[in-house]
């Protein structure tokens, strides 16, 4: 959820002591960081690159019995994607979209199945970010 471990001086060096300290998206320190993944989408089910799709019926049903109640005054940043805000709403969270938490941009591969890409493309994507196709929308 957009945090990094911080050292005693507030930088990004390893923290000292028994408990890690995290810097939240707004730069404030937080003592606990809970990461919540979005619910099931058709792209996830079909092993496709995400294209800001909504949750599937199963994805909408799964959080129903998993309500998460953060402590009072907790900030809940979330990625700006539809699936992320929908999951937060279903969990009863008042999440604030934060573009810094945006999912990967698959560019021209958006919506494409992983199996449709050749081994060289997939290997290149994993080892060299410049291999990813450019975005059509910029």
């Amino acid at each position: 959820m957009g945090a990094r471990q911080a050292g005693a001086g507030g930088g990004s060096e390893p923290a000292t002591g028994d408990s890690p300290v995290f810097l939240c998206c707004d730069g404030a320190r937080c003592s606990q960081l809970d990461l919540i993944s979005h619910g099931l989408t058709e792209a996830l089910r079909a092993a496709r690159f995400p294209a800001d799709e909504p949750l599937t019926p199963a994805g909408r049903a799964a959080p129903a019995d998993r309500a998460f109640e953060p402590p009072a005054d907790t900030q809940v940043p979330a990625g700006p994607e539809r699936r992320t805000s929908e999951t937060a709403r279903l969990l009863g969270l008042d999440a604030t979209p934060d573009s810094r938490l945006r999912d990967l941009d698959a560019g021209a591969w958006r919506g494409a199945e992983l199996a449709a890409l050749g081994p060289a493309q997939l290997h290149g994507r994993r080892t060299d970010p410049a291999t990813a196709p450019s975005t059509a929308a910029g």
Side-chain angles (χ1 to χ4, degrees):
M1 285 243 173
R4 65 177 188 269
Q5 190 167 353
S12 58
E13 68 275 1
T16 58
D18 295 332
S19 301
V21 175
F22 294 93
L23 293 180
C24 296
C25 291
D26 66 355
R29 288 180 179 251
C30 57
S31 60
Q32 181 173 334
L33 177 67
D34 293 305
L35 301 175
I36 302 171
S37 179
H38 64 76
L40 184 65
T41 65
E42 187 58 32
L44 187 59
R45 189 196 64 71
R48 291 194 319 246
F49 287 97
D52 200 19
E53 60 284 327
L55 299 178
T56 63
R60 285 189 293 279
D65 63 346
R66 292 179 174 87
F68 177 75
E69 190 170 332
D73 298 328
T74 298
Q75 294 179 4
V76 182
E81 293 82 16
R82 182 181 348 180
R83 61 192 174 273
T84 306
S85 60
E86 192 175 352
T87 299
R89 183 178 48 78
L90 290 166
L91 288 169
L93 299 172
D94 184 20
T96 303
D98 187 328
S99 63
R100 295 173 295 180
L101 300 175
R102 181 176 305 281
D103 201 349
L104 69 90
D105 183 356
W109 293 351
R110 212 175 282 124
E113 290 186 18
L114 292 172
L117 302 175
Q121 289 175 304
L122 290 175
H123 177 73
R125 171 68 177 136
R126 288 186 14 232
T127 59
D128 179 12
T131 301
S134 62
T135 60

